Amino acid sequence: MSSLSRELVFLILQFLEEEKFKESVHRLEKESGFFFNMKFFEEKVQAGEWEEVEKYLSGFTKVDDNRYSMKIFFEIRKQKYLEALDRQDKAKAVEILVNDLKVFSTFNEELYKEITQLLTLNNFRENEQLSKYGDTKTARSIMLIELKKLIEANPLFRDKLVFPTLKSSRLRTLINQSLNWQHQLCKNPRPNPDIKTLFTDHSCTPPNGPLAPTPVNLPVAAVAKPAAYTSLGAHGPFPPTAAAAVAGNAGALAGWMANASASSSVQAAVVTASSIPVPQNQVPVLKRPRTPPGAPGMVDYQSPDHELMKRLRPAPSIEEVTYPTARQQAWSPDDLPRTVAFPIHQGSTVTSMDFHPFHHTLLLVGSNNGEITLWELGLRERLVPKPFKVWDMATGTLPFQAPPISVSRVTWSPDGNFVGVAFTKQLVHLYAYHHGSNDLRQQLEIDAHVGGVNDLAFAHPNKQLCVVTCGDDKLIKVWDLNGRRLFNFEGHDAAVYSICPHHKESIQFIFSTAVDGKIKAWLYDNMGSRVDYDAPGHCCTTMLYSADGNRLFSCGTSKEGESYLVEWNESEGTIKRSYNGFRKKSNGVVSFDTTQNHFLAAAEDSQIKFWDMDSVNLLAATDADGGLPSLPRLRFNKEGNLLAVTTADNGFKILANAVGLRSLRVIETPPFEALRTPIDSAVIKVSGTSAVPSVGPVSCKVERSSPVRPSAVLNGVDPMGRSVEKPRILDDAMDKAKPWQLAEIVDPLQCRLVTLPESTDASSKVVRLLYTNSGVGILALGSNGVQKLWKWPRNEQNPNGKATASVVPQHWQPNSGLLMNNDVTGVNLEEAVPCIALSKNDSYVMSATGGKVSLFNMMTFKVMTTFMAPPPASTFLAFHPQDNNIIAIGMEDSTIHIYNVRVDEVKSKLKGHQKRITGLAFSTSLNILVSSGADAQLCVWNIDTWEKRKSVMIQIPAGKAPTGDTRVQFHMDQIRMLVVHETQLAIYDASKMERIRQWIPQDGLSAPISYAAYSCNSQLIYATFCDGSIGVFDADTLRLRCRVAPTAYLSQAILSGSQAVYPLVVAAHPQDPNQFAIGLTDGSVKVMEPTESEGKWGVSPPIDNGILSGRTTSSSTTSNHTPEQLQR
C-alpha cells in the first residue's frame, strides 16, 4: 500500500474516533495493521478479555514471527492459565494448556512440563518461582508492564505505536478544500453554491448563461478556511509524521530482524516465566525512530498521462492529492555507457576503482602493486600517483618480507574530502583531498586487522564521519578519523568479505557478508548481529543499494562458479527477484554496480552485462571492443554516464553514453607520426600582449592540429591500445613547451546555439530564468510580470526529450490559452524586483513582480492562490529543502518571512539586513539559511530556531560602492558558496563564513557582472557581463577557462543597433554541466552548448601557468589579499 493510502487510513481512523464508531476504529486498526492502540490493548488486558486481546494482536503479529512476538503470546497465555488455576477451574486450565501453551513445547519442552505440573498443586503459588504471585489485578498490571516493553522492542511494532499528529477533523477539512477548488474550477461559479452530495464532482449550473467569475478565494458552504492550503508535498499532502515513514523505510532492517531464523533465541526467550532475554538497553535501539529532517522524495506529477491529470485538468490542489502510480520515465539502452571512449594504461593490474561523488570525471584507482592513482579522465591525466609505503614503521606489525601488498579497496568519502584505501595486508590508509590542489595528503594509517583488510567504507553514525573495515580475522571494525576504534563487531565464522553501511530514517546499520555466504546486520552498539541469513549459493557476496537508497541488491559467486545477482525485499528479508544472464561458470567473484536508480551492471566472461532493475532478463551486453579479463572489475560514476572497466593488459577502459562523451571531450587521434613533428610555435595563436585578447575579427580558437591540444597519447592514455612508455617522454616535453590558452568563442560556428521561439520582446527584459528540474524545459520571467515556458519535444532528433541547443523547443501553453501573469496592480514595473521559485517536481511555480506572490499550476497556468500582498513587496523566494510547505520570502523592507503555505501563516520574521533581500540559499549539510542583500551583507540563520548565527560584509574593491544586488548559491557539497556581486565573484566556506577566493572583473572581462551561477556539477561557474560577454570559470580556482563574445550569439544588426543588448541572467542545465541558458535585455532567451567535437568550454588553466606573454591571466585571488591588492 502506498504512503498516501496509508495516511488516508489514519484520516479515516480519526474520523471514526470523532464520530464515536469505537468498534469500527479498532477493527480498522487491526485490519490495516498501521496503528497499534496501546490504550485499547491495556483496557482489554486489564479486563481479562483474552480472546479479544489475541484477536487484536493478530492484526500486527503472529506467535512465530520472532522471539518478541512469541514472548508476548506466551505471557498472555501463561496469565490466562494461572487465572484459571487460581479460580480452581482445572478443566479450563487443561484446555488452555493443550490448545494455547502446547505450541511453546516445541521450543522448550522442560518449561512446558513445569507448567503442566502446576495442575497437581492445590495452589500454584507453592511453586517457588510463582510464590510472589498476588491477586489477579496486580498480576495483570505487572504483566502489562512486561508486555509494553516487549511490544516496544518488537521490530514489527516500530512506527505503529504513535498516532500521527493531526488537526481535528482533518478529513473534513480536505473534503471542504476539495469542494472549494472544484467550485473555483467551475466555468460559471455561483456566489452561493448549493452542495448536496460528495458522490459526484461539484459544478455550478448557470441559470440563464455565464456569470462573471468569482474571486479565487471565494468562500464555499461548509468551508471553514478557504485560505488554508494543502501541503506542497515535501512529505506528501498530509502532515508529516514518524508513523508515515514505516512503509518500506525504517522498518526495512526491522523486517529482516523480525523474520530472522532464531529458534535458539526463542528457546531462551521462554525459559523463565517472567524475564526477557533482551538487555534493557537494547529496547531504545529498537524503538520507533524519529524521522530525521531529510529531504524526502516527492511525487512527480509531470506526465500528462497521469491518472489525476486525465481526470481533472486543472488539478485541484497545490500538491495533487492522489494515490500515485509508479513513475513512468523513459529509459532506453542508449542511456547505458557502452561506447568505448578510450583505454588507459595503468602499468599494473587494477583491483579497485571509485569515481569522485561530485567531480564525475575524477577516478581513483587501486592496483595490485599497492599503488593508488588519481586520474582526471577529461584530460586523460594522471594527477596523483601514490606508491605503497608504510607511513609509520613503529606502529605496524607488517611482515615486510611478504609478497607485494595489493589494494583490496579504494573509496571516496560521501563528501569527496577523503580517500580510504584497504590493503591485502592488515593496513588501511586515509588521505585528505582538496580538489583545487589535486593532491592527496596523508591523514591516517591504521593497523586494522590481522591478515587482509577485505573491504572499507565510510559511514555517518551519530553524524560523525567514520571508517568501517572488515578483514580475514572475521571482524568488522568502526574507526573515527583519528584512528580510534569505536566498535568491534564479532559474530562471523569466516573471513568477512564485504560491508555495506546504510541508514533508513534515523537507523544507522551495516550489512556484512562473509566468504561462507553468511549475511549479518549490525547496529552501532555492542548487542551483536541482528540478522543471520545465507546469501544465494552460500557464496562470497557484495551488497549495494540503489543511488536513492531504497532498493537493495547483492551479487556473488559460489565455490562451484555459479553467479547470483538478486534484489532483496527488505521488509521481508527475502529475495524479491533473481536476474538471469550468467552463462559461464567463473573461477572468481563477479563484480557489479548500480546506476541511475534504474540499471545494474555485472562483469563476467570478458563482458559487461546490463539489466533493468525491474526486469530479470538481460537488457544488453558489451565486450568493450575486447581486451577484458575473464572477470573485469567495473564502476559507474555518480551520473551514470561513465563506466570504468578493468582490462587484461594492466589498465582500464572508459565507456560512456552520449552525455558522458561530451563531458570527456573525446580527442580525435592524429597519426602516430604527427607526434614526432617539431612544435610549430606559429600555430599557437596567442596574443603577445594579453592573455584575454579583445574581441576582434581574428578568432583565438585553438586549431585541432595545434599542439596546444593534448596529444593523442597523453599521461598513459593510448586510444590505439599500444604501449605508451616512449610517446609519454615526448608528451612530457610537449606539455612543458606549450602554454595554456584561453578558449575564445567569437563566432556562432564555434558553439551550438538556439534562440527560443517567441521569446524576443523588446518591451520586456528577461529578469529571471530557470530550467525545470527535469531538464526538459525553461521558464522565463519577464520584467512585465509575464512568465513563459518552453519544452523540448521527444523525437528521433532528441530521443531523451531534454533541453538541447541542437533542437528548437516549443513555446508551451495550455489549451485554455491562459498566460502566467503576475499581479502587477499598482506596481511601478521599472522599480519592481521580480522573484521566482519552482517546486521540486515542477508542478508549481511561485513568483511575484512587485505585487502579490502568485502560485501557478504548471500544467494549466491557473493561479491557485495569491498571498503576501505588498507593502512590503517580496523580492526573493526559496523553498525549504526539507518541506515544500515552508517558503523563505525576502522582502523589500530587508526582512525575511518564513511562511507556511499549508496554514497560510508567517512562522518567523528574520531581521538583520539594512536593505532589500536579493538572495537566499539553504544548506542542509550545515542546517543554515544564508541571505544576501542590497546592503552587501551576508547573514547566516539556523533553520531550526531561525536565530541569526553570523553576519559578514562582502569585501567591495576600493573605489566601488557597496550597492547593487548580491546573490548566493551553494556548491553541491553544501559547504562552499558562490557569492555574486557586480564587482566580483567570490567563493566562501559557509561553515566559517570565510572567503576562500575572489575574482574581480579585469582584462577582457572588465564590465560589471550581471549574473552568475554554478553548473549542475559545481565544477564550472557561468558569469554574464553588462557588455554582453560571458565567462566560464573553473569553480574551484575562479580561473577563466573560456570567454564567449557577444558576436557568438548576437546578430550584426543587434550589435550595431542603438540599444545595448546583453544577458541579465544565466541558468545552468540541471543535468548537463556544459549547457547554459541566458536571458537578455531584448526579451530573448538563448541556450548555448559547446560544439559536439569540443564537448566542453575550454580547459582549466594550470595553477603554475598563470603568466602568459608577460601578463597575468584572468585569475582569482585568495582571501589574504587586501582590496587594494585585488585591484591591480
Side-chain angles (χ1 to χ4, degrees), residues 903-1078:
V903 297
D904 189 23
E905 183 180 340
V906 175
K907 293 294 187 181
S908 298
K909 188 180 290 188
L910 315 183
K911 298 180 179 179
H913 287 274
Q914 306 304 314
K915 294 183 179 179
R916 72 173 182 272
I917 304 302
T918 57
L920 295 168
F922 284 94
S923 169
T924 51
S925 296
L926 299 176
N927 209 39
I928 59 173
L929 167 67
V930 177
S931 59
S932 59
D935 55 0
Q937 185 180 194
L938 306 175
C939 293
V940 183
W941 314 86
N942 183 301
I943 62 176
D944 290 330
T945 62
W946 299 114
E947 295 177 353
K948 187 166 79 170
R949 286 186 182 176
K950 195 172 184 178
S951 64
V952 296
M953 299 294 295
I954 66 170
Q955 296 180 22
I956 302 294
K960 303 289 185 179
T963 57
D965 293 353
T966 304
R967 297 184 179 87
V968 287
Q969 181 187 2
F970 271 102
H971 186 282
M972 66 188 303
D973 67 9
Q974 294 280 289
I975 305 294
R976 285 171 284 177
M977 181 177 65
L978 172 64
V979 177
V980 184
H981 186 263
E982 64 181 32
T983 63
Q984 64 188 278
L985 302 175
I987 304 296
Y988 279 72
D989 180 341
S991 64
K992 307 170 186 175
M993 285 310 291
E994 294 179 356
R995 197 187 71 194
I996 302 170
R997 200 159 277 112
Q998 183 186 49
W999 181 90
I1000 294 172
Q1002 55 190 280
D1003 296 334
L1005 291 174
S1006 57
I1009 300 166
S1010 59
Y1011 210 94
Y1014 273 124
S1015 63
C1016 63
N1017 61 2
S1018 297
Q1019 292 187 26
L1020 304 175
I1021 293 172
Y1022 297 112
T1024 55
F1025 295 80
C1026 293
D1027 64 353
S1029 298
I1030 302 169
V1032 183
F1033 294 81
D1034 183 278
D1036 289 314
T1037 63
L1038 284 187
R1039 288 174 177 264
L1040 184 66
R1041 56 189 285 166
C1042 178
R1043 176 180 179 271
V1044 182
T1047 52
Y1049 64 88
L1050 293 177
S1051 68
Q1052 193 57 47
I1054 293 176
L1055 289 170
S1056 58
S1058 59
Q1059 195 72 29
V1061 176
Y1062 62 91
L1064 282 174
V1065 63
V1066 63
H1069 190 282
Q1071 284 110 36
D1072 186 346
N1074 288 299
Q1075 184 188 135
F1076 65 88
I1078 52 174

Side-chain angles (χ1 to χ4, degrees), residues 570-868:
E570 285 187 286
S571 62
E572 302 291 338
T574 57
I575 292 174
K576 184 175 182 180
R577 57 171 60 89
S578 295
Y579 297 90
N580 306 321
F582 294 105
R583 295 179 180 172
K584 185 175 180 180
K585 290 196 173 183
S586 304
N587 58 0
V589 181
V590 168
S591 167
F592 92 114
D593 202 1
T594 73
T595 186
Q596 298 181 10
N597 299 316
H598 196 81
F599 297 116
L600 299 166
E604 63 135 17
D605 193 20
S606 301
Q607 286 187 314
I608 306 165
K609 298 182 176 181
F610 300 95
W611 289 264
D612 185 308
M613 288 181 178
D614 297 323
S615 174
V616 298
N617 295 320
L618 191 64
L619 177 65
T622 179
D623 65 357
D625 296 344
L628 303 186
S630 58
L631 287 174
R633 305 195 70 82
L634 53 78
R635 191 71 171 169
F636 286 105
N637 70 348
K638 190 175 180 182
E639 295 284 294
N641 53 38
L642 299 179
L643 176 63
V645 59
T646 58
T647 57
D649 59 352
N650 294 339
F652 57 93
K653 291 184 179 182
I654 300 301
L655 281 66
N657 61 15
V659 175
L661 288 172
R662 286 201 298 270
S663 71
L664 292 171
R665 190 170 60 89
V666 178
I667 304 168
E668 293 179 4
T669 309
F672 182 74
E673 289 73 16
L675 297 172
R676 307 180 185 275
T677 58
I679 300 170
D680 181 3
S681 59
V683 178
I684 306 174
K685 301 179 181 178
V686 181
S687 167
T689 57
S690 174
V692 188
S694 58
V695 180
V698 179
S699 168
C700 289
K701 180 183 177 184
V702 181
E703 299 299 330
R704 192 163 296 283
S705 60
S706 168
V708 173
R709 294 286 182 201
S711 305
V713 179
L714 177 63
N715 293 322
V717 183
D718 182 5
M720 302 303 291
R722 292 182 292 262
S723 172
V724 297
E725 297 307 312
K726 280 188 177 181
R728 277 210 59 185
I729 298 171
L730 183 56
D731 274 346
D732 293 340
M734 291 174 65
D735 285 341
K736 291 176 182 177
K738 69 187 180 189
W740 167 85
Q741 184 172 5
L742 177 73
E744 190 82 8
I745 310 296
V746 298
D747 188 274
L749 296 177
Q750 293 177 276
C751 64
R752 287 182 289 160
L753 173 72
V754 64
T755 301
L756 275 52
E758 301 180 49
S759 62
T760 304
D761 182 357
S763 65
S764 177
K765 305 172 184 177
V766 178
V767 288
R768 296 293 180 265
L769 194 64
L770 297 172
Y771 276 91
T772 60
N773 294 298
S774 59
V776 301
I778 285 180
L779 184 66
L781 173 58
S783 57
N784 60 357
V786 178
Q787 289 153 105
K788 294 180 180 179
L789 175 65
W790 291 268
K791 290 184 179 181
W792 270 259
R794 185 188 298 272
N795 52 35
E796 290 184 8
Q797 194 178 1
N798 187 31
N800 63 10
K802 300 288 186 180
T804 173
S806 302
V807 175
V808 178
Q810 300 167 348
H811 180 213
W812 195 90
Q813 280 185 279
N815 294 332
S816 63
L818 281 177
L819 298 176
M820 285 193 284
N821 292 335
N822 278 335
D823 169 42
V824 292
T825 306
V827 174
N828 183 342
L829 293 177
E830 294 295 323
E831 297 178 358
V833 180
C835 51
I836 190 169
L838 186 63
S839 68
K840 293 176 184 175
N841 63 0
D842 295 336
S843 289
Y844 297 92
V845 63
M846 200 170 285
S847 63
T849 309
K852 297 177 184 177
V853 178
S854 300
L855 179 70
F856 295 92
N857 183 305
M858 286 277 282
M859 292 295 294
T860 65
F861 287 10
K862 183 176 177 61
V863 177
M864 304 308 296
T865 186
T866 58
F867 51 91
M868 286 289 173

Side-chain angles (χ1 to χ4, degrees), residues 384-404:
V384 181
K386 290 284 183 182
F388 172 76
K389 66 177 181 179
V390 177
W391 299 348
D392 187 351
M393 300 288 285
T395 59
T397 58
L398 196 65
F400 298 105
Q401 291 74 27

Side-chain angles (χ1 to χ4, degrees), residues 67-68 152-153 155 158 257 277-287 523 525 527-530:
R67 63 182 184 271
Y68 301 99
E152 289 179 342
R158 181 170 293 119
M257 292 187 232
V278 180
Q280 290 303 310
N281 61 354
Q282 181 177 344
V283 173
V285 175
L286 295 174
K287 282 184 182 179
L523 298 177
D525 56 24
M527 305 307 300
S529 169
R530 303 309 210 278

